[in-house]
Amino acid sequence: IGTKIEETMEEKEAAAARRVFSELKPLCTELFQLLGESQKNSHSLLHSLTAYVQQAPRPALNPCLDYILVPLLLLLDASIACRSTKDIDSTNMPLKVSDSVAEGVLTCLEEVLKRCSLTSTNQLSILLRKFTSGALLSPSEAAEEFRHGIVRCLKAVILGLGPCSDEACTCKIIPLDLGSPFQIKDPILSHSETKLVCDGGCLLAFLQSEDASAAVGHLLSLLLQIAEAEARRGHLGSGKLRADALLTLRLLISKVGSADALAFFLPGVVSGLAKVLRVSKFAIGVSFQPTSGAAGSIGAIEQAVKGFAEMLVLCLADEQNANQLDAGGAEAYNEGLSETFSSKFKSADSALEALRCLSSQAHAKKDFDVAKEAQYHALNGKDLQQSRKNISQAQGDGRGAIGFNFRVYRDKEWLDKTAQHLDSLLSATYPV
């Protein structure tokens, strides 16, 4: 009986997917025609597709994801190309896409990404690449609504990433739930309860891997730049866009959620967030007096404070860092932790932890000196070009296992220098 019920359910799901595809087909076909013909009635077409996606059943809609994305992403490419002022070829002018059509495409994409789950690393890579291209557009190249739409789409992509169905996968490491008193919880940062079945590997594990480190670092930098650009625009800047960019930054940090993957980016991220707080200019100890315009957005300040705290918790409230503290520091550190968390750190001193660290300590200390020196220069804002050259040299010598793989050797020296860097940032922002 159970087998028959399953077969019946599968038949119903297949029938529903066929029906959804047949109803989507004419809409997507008309979208393709917008790429070569007049964009007349395009607004109503995009509105119809968005409305259909909103009401279609999710299980039947998800198999059609690629079919929906292809025309929308082609229109997005055209929208970005006709707005970008870089590398314009006068012999091959891009298709002109109006603001209303471009914004309609982004609205539809956002809705599709909210309703459908990505199932492959290829899908994730393509979407991140497309939206990154849009995020590179400056306020002088693209309207505020278009740039905000790009950020919302990025947020939808990142928010939709959840743990896979494999219980042994590394994606089961839940970020921002590190035990009292370091517990920082926010409903919007929570993973979806739905266990995703992904083709070719878990998407969260991919995002946490070294293969995705370059893309993650680029996105972190871009989101900080978007927030900063809105502040520089003064009264013309959008406080909502600035806050959404910082919220998306928080989401990305949360989904990566690993000290190993995030430690390399800690100096740059906290410097950018400290700048957000510094620019906000409020009177300390008297009253909260934010500046006018996007720079003084209360929402942006809130997201910056939370993002700063979460980045510190993920990168510093970590077993490997706790092991680097001296006896007094470790004792003070453990006093603030719950019994469960403290016992977890005690187990880190066991033979198993010693064996785990033995190989990395023996080889890393010898092999990573050049890359470490470059990292510390970058940490203190010194001669970044020379730092990159040193990292590249370390890789070329076969010694740069961290190098451009964006992994840092988190020893006591790293911890001390990081603490000094953070202290200088916070002292400049909050002198009292």
Side-chain angles (χ1 to χ4, degrees):
I1 295 174
T3 304
K4 288 183 178 179
I5 291 175
E6 288 179 4
E7 290 175 352
T8 304
M9 291 296 293
E10 289 176 0
E11 290 174 2
K12 288 182 178 179
E13 288 176 2
R18 286 193 295 270
R19 177 179 58 80
V20 168
F21 178 78
S22 65
E23 293 171 353
L24 281 171
K25 188 175 180 179
L27 294 171
C28 292
T29 302
E30 288 186 55
L31 276 182
F32 276 114
Q33 294 173 356
L34 293 180
L35 292 166
E37 298 179 2
S38 169
Q39 293 171 13
K40 187 178 180 180
N41 300 325
S42 57
H43 188 270
S44 60
L45 173 60
L46 288 165
H47 179 75
S48 299
L49 179 57
T50 303
Y52 183 80
V53 168
Q54 288 174 333
Q55 58 86 29
R58 288 175 186 261
L61 188 64
N62 215 79
C64 304
L65 176 59
D66 287 332
Y67 190 74
I68 305 170
L69 285 178
V70 171
L72 288 173
L73 291 179
L74 287 173
L75 282 169
L76 178 62
D77 284 341
S79 303
I80 295 170
C82 72
R83 283 162 175 76
S84 177
T85 57
K86 299 173 183 176
D87 302 325
I88 297 178
D89 183 2
S90 58
T91 62
N92 186 23
M93 295 300 292
L95 173 72
K96 293 292 183 182
V97 181
S98 67
D99 284 345
S100 61
V101 173
E103 291 158 19
V105 168
L106 288 170
T107 300
C108 190
L109 274 170
E110 182 186 4
E111 199 59 43
V112 169
L113 294 169
K114 285 179 177 178
R115 300 276 296 167
C116 299
S117 300
L118 303 183
T119 56
S120 72
T121 55
N122 188 44
Q123 287 176 334
L124 177 60
S125 299
I126 290 173
L127 287 170
L128 290 180
R129 186 165 63 248
K130 301 289 186 184
F131 295 136
T132 297
S133 298
L136 286 168
L137 294 176
S138 66
S140 62
E141 293 174 314
E144 175 190 312
E145 292 78 10
F146 182 85
R147 292 179 294 108
H148 201 167
I150 290 287
V151 171
R152 289 201 308 270
C153 286
L154 274 171
K155 182 169 67 174
V157 169
I158 298 168
L159 196 56
L161 300 177
C164 66
S165 53
D166 183 1
E167 292 300 324
C169 182
T170 56
C171 70
K172 299 302 182 294
I173 300 173
I174 302 175
L176 306 184
D177 189 14
L178 305 177
S180 177
F182 296 113
Q183 206 166 49
I184 298 179
K185 292 185 177 180
D186 193 323
I188 199 168
L189 300 184
S190 302
H191 290 310
S192 168
E193 294 182 1
T194 305
K195 302 297 183 183
L196 304 179
V197 179
C198 302
D199 302 326
C202 171
L203 300 186
L204 265 188
F206 170 73
L207 196 67
Q208 296 164 352
S209 71
E210 292 183 58
D211 292 337
S213 290
V216 168
H218 192 201
L219 270 180
L220 291 170
S221 175
L222 273 179
L223 291 167
L224 287 169
Q225 288 174 31
I226 291 171
E228 184 181 353
E230 291 306 305
R232 285 200 305 265
R233 297 179 69 209
H235 291 284
L236 297 177
S238 168
K240 179 62 176 172
L241 173 52
R242 183 169 161 86
D244 268 354
L246 295 173
L247 172 58
T248 306
L249 178 93
R250 289 180 59 213
L251 286 170
L252 183 57
I253 290 170
S254 169
K255 294 298 183 179
V256 175
S258 160
D260 287 331
L262 289 172
F264 184 90
F265 307 112
L266 175 65
V269 171
V270 297
S271 295
L273 293 175
K275 187 174 183 180
V276 171
L277 299 174
R278 193 159 55 248
V279 168
S280 299
K281 293 181 180 177
F282 57 88
I284 299 176
V286 181
S287 61
F288 192 79
Q289 299 173 345
T291 62
S292 58
S297 165
I298 301 296
I301 296 170
E302 178 188 3
Q303 298 302 331
V305 171
K306 289 181 176 179
F308 202 117
E310 288 155 5
M311 190 70 174
L312 296 187
V313 167
L314 284 170
C315 291
L316 300 182
D318 179 69
E319 288 189 36
Q320 184 170 336
N321 291 331
N323 293 335
Q324 304 298 340
L325 296 173
D326 55 27
E331 183 179 351
Y333 185 81
N334 282 329
E335 282 179 2
L337 300 173
S338 62
E339 265 188 2
T340 304
F341 207 47
S342 297
S343 64
K344 188 177 179 183
F345 281 126
K346 289 175 184 176
S347 68
D349 296 324
S350 66
L352 183 61
E353 180 64 17
L355 287 172
R356 186 183 73 82
C357 295
L358 182 63
S359 176
S360 62
Q361 288 177 348
H363 293 88
K365 192 67 178 175
K366 176 182 177 182
D367 295 341
F368 296 169
D369 284 344
V370 174
K372 279 173 58 183
E373 181 183 359
Q375 171 205 338
Y376 297 145
H377 281 309
L379 186 67
N380 294 306
K382 299 176 182 176
D383 198 358
L384 210 55
Q385 292 298 327
Q386 184 61 36
S387 299
R388 289 169 180 163
K389 182 179 178 181
N390 290 345
I391 291 174
S392 180
Q393 179 185 351
Q395 279 197 314
D397 293 343
R399 302 184 298 171
I402 55 177
F404 286 124
N405 290 328
F406 303 99
R407 293 295 189 264
V408 296
Y409 182 65
R410 292 183 289 134
D411 59 0
K412 190 175 187 303
E413 186 180 359
W414 177 87
L415 193 61
D416 290 343
K417 287 184 177 293
T418 300
Q420 291 171 11
H421 179 62
L422 292 171
D423 184 60
S424 64
L425 285 174
L426 291 172
S427 298
T429 308
Y430 303 107
V432 176

